[in-house]
Amino acid sequence: MKSDLLESLNPEQARAVRHTDGPLLIFAGAGSGKTRVIVHRVAHLISQGVDANRILCLTFTNKAAGEMKERLKNLMKAYDLPVWAGTFHSFGAWLLRREARRIGYPAGFAIYDEADQRSLIGRCLKELNIERERGRDRRIAWLINISKDTLRSIDEIPFDLHLDPAPVIALYEQKKRASGAFDFADLICAPGQMLESMPDMREAYHSRFTHILVDEYQDTNMAQYRLLMQLVGPSRNICVVGDDDQSIYGWRGADVGNILRFRDDFPEAEVVVLEQNYRSTEDILKAASSLIANNRYRAPKTLRSACGPGSDVAVVEMRDDGEEARQIAYSVSRLIEAEVSPAEIAVFYRVNALSRVLEEAFVRLSIPYAVYGGIRFYERREVKDLLAYLRIIANPSDEEALARIINLPPRGIGERSLDALHAFALKQGVPTLAALEQALMHKVVKGAAAKGLASFLTLMEGLMKTAGRADVSEVLSALVERSGYRDYLLQDVDGEDRLLNVRELIASAEGITDLPGYLQEKALLTTMDVAGGETVSVMTLHMSKGLEFDHVFIAGCEEGLLPHSRSFDEVMNIEEERRLMYVGITRARRQVVLSWSRVRALYGRETYQMPSGFLREIDGT
């Protein structure tokens, strides 16, 4: 069995698998077979006599944990092995089920998801007589979670809430505890705190788990780091696997320093670097390696390809974003005509707003596509809201559109008021919009609803006048400002991103005066039949992590987009942006095309762009 475990491994992988005792750091370059190494290492430990029940494997997704267990089962030819393999959160929940009574919680505690958390924060705001502005509960939830994930006090986290969040958070924690509940961040934070402060409990888990393996260690945050350090026993049998060059989640609390400081925590650690890549061609790896070598805060590694030379990474300069989208769509269609499966083609971008022009180009060429891990541009909430306003302007009888936007942004017109208005219009025998003025005169609604209705009527009257003399983009611009929709969006944590989509929608309508025709085109885009089966994957670079394709196109390789303008203030942020491009390039097996546009109509205005500085750093382009 031992020789079988090592036969299919390269020398670096075999060295990592054979290491049995003491700390081990495995730098696993992109496409180097890290999951294979983890599974073989666990199997090797068991073959050496380590009790499977004493092995703990932690990762970040249920999918990765499931794949690990399935591969181990097949490798060991065993139906079931008692290795504890799962996500950090599932492990934290498991541990708390056993130990929560120590801190006054029942074993049957509840776990609050995001919706539960925001609902409780809303109740706290109400109890404290704090106005519940839209998105405020979400922003406070973010503050609570990032504080627990990074082990920082809320005073250390820059965030403008226009209120002191401390009383709200204190009441939230009090009520959560009274309900016998933990939120998701607690599932990591609470076990780490308990192990740190309770020596007897810590010693019990040192005996329970004698060998710990951690996947994607570069993505751990400080709460996860503390939990792991408390779990490591005197034998110091911890193996961490990761790639600092693929650390791209700093914005949500991940600390690449955890993997780079591992040898400070464990000076005696053996270090293995997996540099043999089984995914990409030599030319792709050469391009990716030359790019990432410009990062200072990294462990050096040189990837070698097992796939042969391949072709150079292409950098394509385009006149504008429309030409870029058309060229990518044309290239994709040619690949499909050459019998390349759509599932082996991907298009990446840094910001969601870039998807709009790409999606339209794909639709025109009938290319089947799916926005991976996201929502198609014309199905995004903010886009559908504004299109509903335009539908009412074009067709005042559109009851569904009216129902969507009459209280958007909130004007005090709730469901009961809307039902009363519908009933009044039915009696009058006219569409609801046509009856609103009369309804106001007859006091069908009163108080805040009446005031909101009056402001809505004034808004719609003004917008209809604007629509009679302006193009669609001007109508949308007027709508966003006059209605207060811009400020409404900015109340959300992701408001800036949503506003970028709004600006992109405005840009798409520039020069168009046929409102019904514009709406018809967009309706066909949102209801387009997607061919069953294989589709081209369209996604952000962040979503591409862990995936691989034969052909990869990365659009918008321009200063301000990639790297993002928000990263310009700190070197560490620029380094994370560089890692993000590196991740995108190393998703490809055979072909990479990087494109940039001299002119881009983005966020409601046309701007002259500069190529990303990262492009100059890539050899062979």
Side-chain angles (χ1 to χ4, degrees), residues 353-386:
L354 265 64
S355 78
R356 192 269 307 172
V357 67
L358 288 164
E359 290 185 55
E360 291 183 354
F362 277 24
V363 169
R364 289 190 190 102
L365 293 185
S366 300
I367 295 171
Y369 76 94
V371 178
Y372 187 92
I375 302 171
R376 289 172 178 244
F377 184 83
Y378 288 103
E379 292 171 3
R380 291 170 192 163
R381 187 190 78 207
E382 59 277 13
V383 172
K384 294 190 78 168
D385 288 346
L386 298 185

mmCIF file of all heavy atoms in Angstrom, residues 353-386:
data_model
loop_
_atom_site.group_PDB
_atom_site.id
_atom_site.type_symbol
_atom_site.label_atom_id
_atom_site.label_comp_id
_atom_site.label_asym_id
_atom_site.label_seq_id
_atom_site.Cartn_x
_atom_site.Cartn_y
_atom_site.Cartn_z
ATOM 1 N N ALA A 353 -19.601 45.560 -13.839
ATOM 2 C CA ALA A 353 -20.197 46.438 -14.839
ATOM 3 C C ALA A 353 -19.695 46.135 -16.253
ATOM 4 O O ALA A 353 -20.366 46.468 -17.235
ATOM 5 C CB ALA A 353 -19.915 47.904 -14.493
ATOM 6 N N LEU A 354 -18.537 45.480 -16.383
ATOM 7 C CA LEU A 354 -18.017 45.156 -17.709
ATOM 8 C C LEU A 354 -18.803 44.055 -18.403
ATOM 9 O O LEU A 354 -18.668 43.854 -19.612
ATOM 10 C CB LEU A 354 -16.546 44.733 -17.621
ATOM 11 C CG LEU A 354 -15.514 45.836 -17.859
ATOM 12 C CD1 LEU A 354 -15.586 46.903 -16.788
ATOM 13 C CD2 LEU A 354 -14.106 45.256 -17.919
ATOM 14 N N SER A 355 -19.634 43.356 -17.666
ATOM 15 C CA SER A 355 -20.347 42.226 -18.270
ATOM 16 C C SER A 355 -21.413 42.674 -19.257
ATOM 17 O O SER A 355 -21.750 41.942 -20.177
ATOM 18 C CB SER A 355 -20.977 41.340 -17.190
ATOM 19 O OG SER A 355 -22.162 41.904 -16.684
ATOM 20 N N ARG A 356 -21.949 43.877 -19.089
ATOM 21 C CA ARG A 356 -23.090 44.304 -19.913
ATOM 22 C C ARG A 356 -22.776 44.255 -21.405
ATOM 23 O O ARG A 356 -23.479 43.607 -22.184
ATOM 24 C CB ARG A 356 -23.505 45.723 -19.502
ATOM 25 C CG ARG A 356 -24.845 46.194 -20.057
ATOM 26 C CD ARG A 356 -24.754 46.935 -21.395
ATOM 27 N NE ARG A 356 -23.819 48.037 -21.346
ATOM 28 C CZ ARG A 356 -23.460 48.726 -22.419
ATOM 29 N NH1 ARG A 356 -23.925 48.401 -23.620
ATOM 30 N NH2 ARG A 356 -22.593 49.712 -22.333
ATOM 31 N N VAL A 357 -21.699 44.897 -21.820
ATOM 32 C CA VAL A 357 -21.379 44.961 -23.241
ATOM 33 C C VAL A 357 -20.976 43.582 -23.770
ATOM 34 O O VAL A 357 -21.277 43.223 -24.923
ATOM 35 C CB VAL A 357 -20.282 46.030 -23.497
ATOM 36 C CG1 VAL A 357 -18.966 45.635 -22.880
ATOM 37 C CG2 VAL A 357 -20.139 46.333 -24.973
ATOM 38 N N LEU A 358 -20.331 42.768 -22.933
ATOM 39 C CA LEU A 358 -19.971 41.407 -23.337
ATOM 40 C C LEU A 358 -21.214 40.545 -23.526
ATOM 41 O O LEU A 358 -21.333 39.815 -24.518
ATOM 42 C CB LEU A 358 -19.061 40.773 -22.283
ATOM 43 C CG LEU A 358 -17.629 41.313 -22.195
ATOM 44 C CD1 LEU A 358 -16.979 40.903 -20.879
ATOM 45 C CD2 LEU A 358 -16.796 40.826 -23.377
ATOM 46 N N GLU A 359 -22.150 40.623 -22.598
ATOM 47 C CA GLU A 359 -23.379 39.832 -22.691
ATOM 48 C C GLU A 359 -24.160 40.190 -23.951
ATOM 49 O O GLU A 359 -24.688 39.314 -24.638
ATOM 50 C CB GLU A 359 -24.247 40.061 -21.455
ATOM 51 C CG GLU A 359 -23.671 39.448 -20.186
ATOM 52 C CD GLU A 359 -24.605 39.593 -19.000
ATOM 53 O OE1 GLU A 359 -25.770 39.159 -19.110
ATOM 54 O OE2 GLU A 359 -24.192 40.155 -17.967
ATOM 55 N N GLU A 360 -24.235 41.480 -24.266
ATOM 56 C CA GLU A 360 -24.965 41.893 -25.468
ATOM 57 C C GLU A 360 -24.304 41.338 -26.727
ATOM 58 O O GLU A 360 -25.000 40.910 -27.662
ATOM 59 C CB GLU A 360 -25.061 43.419 -25.518
ATOM 60 C CG GLU A 360 -25.980 43.990 -24.433
ATOM 61 C CD GLU A 360 -26.137 45.498 -24.531
ATOM 62 O OE1 GLU A 360 -25.446 46.123 -25.371
ATOM 63 O OE2 GLU A 360 -26.957 46.055 -23.777
ATOM 64 N N ALA A 361 -22.980 41.353 -26.752
ATOM 65 C CA ALA A 361 -22.266 40.811 -27.920
ATOM 66 C C ALA A 361 -22.507 39.309 -28.044
ATOM 67 O O ALA A 361 -22.671 38.782 -29.155
ATOM 68 C CB ALA A 361 -20.768 41.105 -27.795
ATOM 69 N N PHE A 362 -22.549 38.590 -26.940
ATOM 70 C CA PHE A 362 -22.816 37.153 -26.956
ATOM 71 C C PHE A 362 -24.230 36.867 -27.452
ATOM 72 O O PHE A 362 -24.454 35.927 -28.225
ATOM 73 C CB PHE A 362 -22.620 36.562 -25.559
ATOM 74 C CG PHE A 362 -21.188 36.242 -25.223
ATOM 75 C CD1 PHE A 362 -20.135 36.886 -25.856
ATOM 76 C CD2 PHE A 362 -20.876 35.295 -24.265
ATOM 77 C CE1 PHE A 362 -18.826 36.601 -25.565
ATOM 78 C CE2 PHE A 362 -19.555 34.985 -23.954
ATOM 79 C CZ PHE A 362 -18.526 35.640 -24.614
ATOM 80 N N VAL A 363 -25.183 37.665 -27.007
ATOM 81 C CA VAL A 363 -26.573 37.457 -27.420
ATOM 82 C C VAL A 363 -26.708 37.651 -28.929
ATOM 83 O O VAL A 363 -27.381 36.876 -29.617
ATOM 84 C CB VAL A 363 -27.515 38.418 -26.661
ATOM 85 C CG1 VAL A 363 -28.917 38.390 -27.267
ATOM 86 C CG2 VAL A 363 -27.584 38.020 -25.183
ATOM 87 N N ARG A 364 -26.040 38.665 -29.466
ATOM 88 C CA ARG A 364 -26.147 38.946 -30.914
ATOM 89 C C ARG A 364 -25.619 37.789 -31.754
ATOM 90 O O ARG A 364 -26.112 37.540 -32.861
ATOM 91 C CB ARG A 364 -25.378 40.229 -31.250
ATOM 92 C CG ARG A 364 -26.053 41.488 -30.719
ATOM 93 C CD ARG A 364 -25.413 42.757 -31.270
ATOM 94 N NE ARG A 364 -25.921 43.922 -30.559
ATOM 95 C CZ ARG A 364 -25.249 44.558 -29.599
ATOM 96 N NH1 ARG A 364 -24.038 44.140 -29.249
ATOM 97 N NH2 ARG A 364 -25.774 45.605 -28.998
ATOM 98 N N LEU A 365 -24.622 37.069 -31.219
ATOM 99 C CA LEU A 365 -24.071 35.937 -31.965
ATOM 100 C C LEU A 365 -24.638 34.598 -31.487
ATOM 101 O O LEU A 365 -24.155 33.538 -31.871
ATOM 102 C CB LEU A 365 -22.547 35.922 -31.843
ATOM 103 C CG LEU A 365 -21.791 37.078 -32.514
ATOM 104 C CD1 LEU A 365 -20.284 36.873 -32.410
ATOM 105 C CD2 LEU A 365 -22.193 37.233 -33.976
ATOM 106 N N SER A 366 -25.683 34.682 -30.648
ATOM 107 C CA SER A 366 -26.360 33.465 -30.138
ATOM 108 C C SER A 366 -25.392 32.504 -29.450
ATOM 109 O O SER A 366 -25.474 31.285 -29.600
ATOM 110 C CB SER A 366 -27.093 32.740 -31.274
ATOM 111 O OG SER A 366 -28.058 33.580 -31.847
ATOM 112 N N ILE A 367 -24.450 33.069 -28.689
ATOM 113 C CA ILE A 367 -23.494 32.253 -27.943
ATOM 114 C C ILE A 367 -24.112 31.896 -26.590
ATOM 115 O O ILE A 367 -24.498 32.787 -25.836
ATOM 116 C CB ILE A 367 -22.171 33.022 -27.733
ATOM 117 C CG1 ILE A 367 -21.490 33.274 -29.084
ATOM 118 C CG2 ILE A 367 -21.243 32.249 -26.798
ATOM 119 C CD1 ILE A 367 -20.302 34.212 -28.999
ATOM 120 N N PRO A 368 -24.243 30.620 -26.272
ATOM 121 C CA PRO A 368 -24.801 30.243 -24.962
ATOM 122 C C PRO A 368 -23.799 30.585 -23.852
ATOM 123 O O PRO A 368 -22.633 30.186 -23.918
ATOM 124 C CB PRO A 368 -24.996 28.728 -25.080
ATOM 125 C CG PRO A 368 -23.993 28.295 -26.094
ATOM 126 C CD PRO A 368 -23.846 29.433 -27.062
ATOM 127 N N TYR A 369 -24.241 31.336 -22.867
ATOM 128 C CA TYR A 369 -23.329 31.732 -21.800
ATOM 129 C C TYR A 369 -24.053 31.731 -20.462
ATOM 130 O O TYR A 369 -25.278 31.779 -20.401
ATOM 131 C CB TYR A 369 -22.736 33.126 -22.071
ATOM 132 C CG TYR A 369 -23.693 34.267 -21.794
ATOM 133 C CD1 TYR A 369 -23.696 34.924 -20.557
ATOM 134 C CD2 TYR A 369 -24.614 34.676 -22.763
ATOM 135 C CE1 TYR A 369 -24.576 35.954 -20.294
ATOM 136 C CE2 TYR A 369 -25.494 35.707 -22.507
ATOM 137 C CZ TYR A 369 -25.478 36.347 -21.270
ATOM 138 O OH TYR A 369 -26.360 37.362 -21.007
ATOM 139 N N ALA A 370 -23.287 31.684 -19.392
ATOM 140 C CA ALA A 370 -23.836 31.777 -18.036
ATOM 141 C C ALA A 370 -22.907 32.651 -17.216
ATOM 142 O O ALA A 370 -21.684 32.534 -17.309
ATOM 143 C CB ALA A 370 -23.952 30.394 -17.407
ATOM 144 N N VAL A 371 -23.510 33.568 -16.450
ATOM 145 C CA VAL A 371 -22.726 34.393 -15.531
ATOM 146 C C VAL A 371 -22.476 33.554 -14.286
ATOM 147 O O VAL A 371 -23.389 33.298 -13.510
ATOM 148 C CB VAL A 371 -23.442 35.706 -15.184
ATOM 149 C CG1 VAL A 371 -22.615 36.518 -14.192
ATOM 150 C CG2 VAL A 371 -23.701 36.520 -16.451
ATOM 151 N N TYR A 372 -21.253 33.101 -14.123
ATOM 152 C CA TYR A 372 -20.899 32.146 -13.070
ATOM 153 C C TYR A 372 -20.891 32.851 -11.719
ATOM 154 O O TYR A 372 -20.194 33.833 -11.510
ATOM 155 C CB TYR A 372 -19.528 31.551 -13.368
ATOM 156 C CG TYR A 372 -19.101 30.430 -12.455
ATOM 157 C CD1 TYR A 372 -19.367 29.106 -12.777
ATOM 158 C CD2 TYR A 372 -18.422 30.688 -11.270
ATOM 159 C CE1 TYR A 372 -18.962 28.067 -11.949
ATOM 160 C CE2 TYR A 372 -18.018 29.663 -10.439
ATOM 161 C CZ TYR A 372 -18.293 28.356 -10.787
ATOM 162 O OH TYR A 372 -17.894 27.341 -9.961
ATOM 163 N N GLY A 373 -21.690 32.312 -10.786
ATOM 164 C CA GLY A 373 -21.709 32.851 -9.433
ATOM 165 C C GLY A 373 -22.252 34.252 -9.345
ATOM 166 O O GLY A 373 -22.039 34.962 -8.365
ATOM 167 N N GLY A 374 -22.966 34.686 -10.368
ATOM 168 C CA GLY A 374 -23.507 36.039 -10.347
ATOM 169 C C GLY A 374 -24.816 36.117 -11.094
ATOM 170 O O GLY A 374 -25.433 35.110 -11.437
ATOM 171 N N ILE A 375 -25.238 37.331 -11.365
ATOM 172 C CA ILE A 375 -26.522 37.581 -12.021
ATOM 173 C C ILE A 375 -26.248 38.297 -13.333
ATOM 174 O O ILE A 375 -25.417 39.215 -13.388
ATOM 175 C CB ILE A 375 -27.424 38.448 -11.123
ATOM 176 C CG1 ILE A 375 -27.635 37.765 -9.770
ATOM 177 C CG2 ILE A 375 -28.765 38.723 -11.780
ATOM 178 C CD1 ILE A 375 -28.328 38.629 -8.742
ATOM 179 N N ARG A 376 -26.952 37.898 -14.376
ATOM 180 C CA ARG A 376 -26.807 38.582 -15.651
ATOM 181 C C ARG A 376 -27.096 40.072 -15.481
ATOM 182 O O ARG A 376 -27.911 40.463 -14.645
ATOM 183 C CB ARG A 376 -27.770 37.988 -16.675
ATOM 184 C CG ARG A 376 -27.382 36.592 -17.137
ATOM 185 C CD ARG A 376 -28.500 36.003 -18.000
ATOM 186 N NE ARG A 376 -28.124 34.688 -18.482
ATOM 187 C CZ ARG A 376 -27.954 34.387 -19.767
ATOM 188 N NH1 ARG A 376 -28.149 35.300 -20.683
ATOM 189 N NH2 ARG A 376 -27.599 33.175 -20.123
ATOM 190 N N PHE A 377 -26.433 40.880 -16.284
ATOM 191 C CA PHE A 377 -26.524 42.330 -16.107
ATOM 192 C C PHE A 377 -27.966 42.817 -16.070
ATOM 193 O O PHE A 377 -28.361 43.573 -15.169
ATOM 194 C CB PHE A 377 -25.753 43.044 -17.226
ATOM 195 C CG PHE A 377 -25.728 44.543 -17.060
ATOM 196 C CD1 PHE A 377 -24.792 45.140 -16.227
ATOM 197 C CD2 PHE A 377 -26.654 45.350 -17.721
ATOM 198 C CE1 PHE A 377 -24.780 46.521 -16.051
ATOM 199 C CE2 PHE A 377 -26.646 46.720 -17.553
ATOM 200 C CZ PHE A 377 -25.700 47.313 -16.721
ATOM 201 N N TYR A 378 -28.773 42.407 -17.045
ATOM 202 C CA TYR A 378 -30.139 42.926 -17.137
ATOM 203 C C TYR A 378 -31.104 42.253 -16.167
ATOM 204 O O TYR A 378 -32.294 42.560 -16.154
ATOM 205 C CB TYR A 378 -30.644 42.836 -18.578
ATOM 206 C CG TYR A 378 -29.966 43.863 -19.465
ATOM 207 C CD1 TYR A 378 -28.942 43.485 -20.333
ATOM 208 C CD2 TYR A 378 -30.300 45.202 -19.380
ATOM 209 C CE1 TYR A 378 -28.287 44.423 -21.113
ATOM 210 C CE2 TYR A 378 -29.659 46.158 -20.155
ATOM 211 C CZ TYR A 378 -28.652 45.765 -21.013
ATOM 212 O OH TYR A 378 -27.999 46.710 -21.771
ATOM 213 N N GLU A 379 -30.573 41.344 -15.347
ATOM 214 C CA GLU A 379 -31.403 40.743 -14.308
ATOM 215 C C GLU A 379 -31.009 41.233 -12.918
ATOM 216 O O GLU A 379 -31.587 40.811 -11.915
ATOM 217 C CB GLU A 379 -31.303 39.208 -14.384
ATOM 218 C CG GLU A 379 -31.954 38.658 -15.650
ATOM 219 C CD GLU A 379 -31.679 37.179 -15.865
ATOM 220 O OE1 GLU A 379 -31.022 36.568 -14.992
ATOM 221 O OE2 GLU A 379 -32.111 36.649 -16.889
ATOM 222 N N ARG A 380 -30.033 42.148 -12.856
ATOM 223 C CA ARG A 380 -29.628 42.708 -11.569
ATOM 224 C C ARG A 380 -30.707 43.653 -11.052
ATOM 225 O O ARG A 380 -31.349 44.367 -11.818
ATOM 226 C CB ARG A 380 -28.277 43.415 -11.705
ATOM 227 C CG ARG A 380 -27.164 42.415 -11.944
ATOM 228 C CD ARG A 380 -25.836 43.032 -12.324
ATOM 229 N NE ARG A 380 -24.927 41.979 -12.806
ATOM 230 C CZ ARG A 380 -23.831 42.193 -13.498
ATOM 231 N NH1 ARG A 380 -23.455 43.428 -13.785
ATOM 232 N NH2 ARG A 380 -23.093 41.184 -13.906
ATOM 233 N N ARG A 381 -30.883 43.645 -9.746
ATOM 234 C CA ARG A 381 -31.998 44.357 -9.122
ATOM 235 C C ARG A 381 -32.073 45.824 -9.544
ATOM 236 O O ARG A 381 -33.131 46.325 -9.941
ATOM 237 C CB ARG A 381 -31.866 44.274 -7.590
ATOM 238 C CG ARG A 381 -33.046 44.819 -6.828
ATOM 239 C CD ARG A 381 -32.731 44.912 -5.348
ATOM 240 N NE ARG A 381 -31.913 46.072 -5.057
ATOM 241 C CZ ARG A 381 -31.078 46.174 -4.036
ATOM 242 N NH1 ARG A 381 -30.900 45.146 -3.231
ATOM 243 N NH2 ARG A 381 -30.389 47.284 -3.828
ATOM 244 N N GLU A 382 -30.949 46.529 -9.469
ATOM 245 C CA GLU A 382 -30.953 47.955 -9.752
ATOM 246 C C GLU A 382 -31.272 48.244 -11.220
ATOM 247 O O GLU A 382 -31.918 49.252 -11.540
ATOM 248 C CB GLU A 382 -29.616 48.582 -9.357
ATOM 249 C CG GLU A 382 -28.395 48.006 -10.039
ATOM 250 C CD GLU A 382 -27.857 46.742 -9.385
ATOM 251 O OE1 GLU A 382 -28.556 46.146 -8.537
ATOM 252 O OE2 GLU A 382 -26.732 46.332 -9.736
ATOM 253 N N VAL A 383 -30.837 47.349 -12.105
ATOM 254 C CA VAL A 383 -31.125 47.514 -13.534
ATOM 255 C C VAL A 383 -32.614 47.292 -13.798
ATOM 256 O O VAL A 383 -33.261 48.070 -14.513
ATOM 257 C CB VAL A 383 -30.258 46.551 -14.376
ATOM 258 C CG1 VAL A 383 -30.676 46.579 -15.832
ATOM 259 C CG2 VAL A 383 -28.780 46.905 -14.223
ATOM 260 N N LYS A 384 -33.181 46.261 -13.196
ATOM 261 C CA LYS A 384 -34.607 45.978 -13.368
ATOM 262 C C LYS A 384 -35.479 47.095 -12.774
ATOM 263 O O LYS A 384 -36.537 47.418 -13.312
ATOM 264 C CB LYS A 384 -34.957 44.626 -12.748
ATOM 265 C CG LYS A 384 -34.302 43.454 -13.451
ATOM 266 C CD LYS A 384 -34.833 42.120 -12.985
ATOM 267 C CE LYS A 384 -36.177 41.839 -13.621
ATOM 268 N NZ LYS A 384 -36.624 40.446 -13.427
ATOM 269 N N ASP A 385 -35.019 47.690 -11.669
ATOM 270 C CA ASP A 385 -35.773 48.812 -11.080
ATOM 271 C C ASP A 385 -35.893 49.960 -12.072
ATOM 272 O O ASP A 385 -36.988 50.501 -12.308
ATOM 273 C CB ASP A 385 -35.061 49.323 -9.819
ATOM 274 C CG ASP A 385 -35.168 48.373 -8.641
ATOM 275 O OD1 ASP A 385 -36.002 47.444 -8.692
ATOM 276 O OD2 ASP A 385 -34.413 48.558 -7.667
ATOM 277 N N LEU A 386 -34.767 50.350 -12.659
ATOM 278 C CA LEU A 386 -34.776 51.497 -13.574
ATOM 279 C C LEU A 386 -35.510 51.188 -14.871
ATOM 280 O O LEU A 386 -36.197 52.050 -15.430
ATOM 281 C CB LEU A 386 -33.345 51.954 -13.849
ATOM 282 C CG LEU A 386 -32.572 52.451 -12.614
ATOM 283 C CD1 LEU A 386 -31.212 52.982 -13.009
ATOM 284 C CD2 LEU A 386 -33.358 53.527 -11.868
#
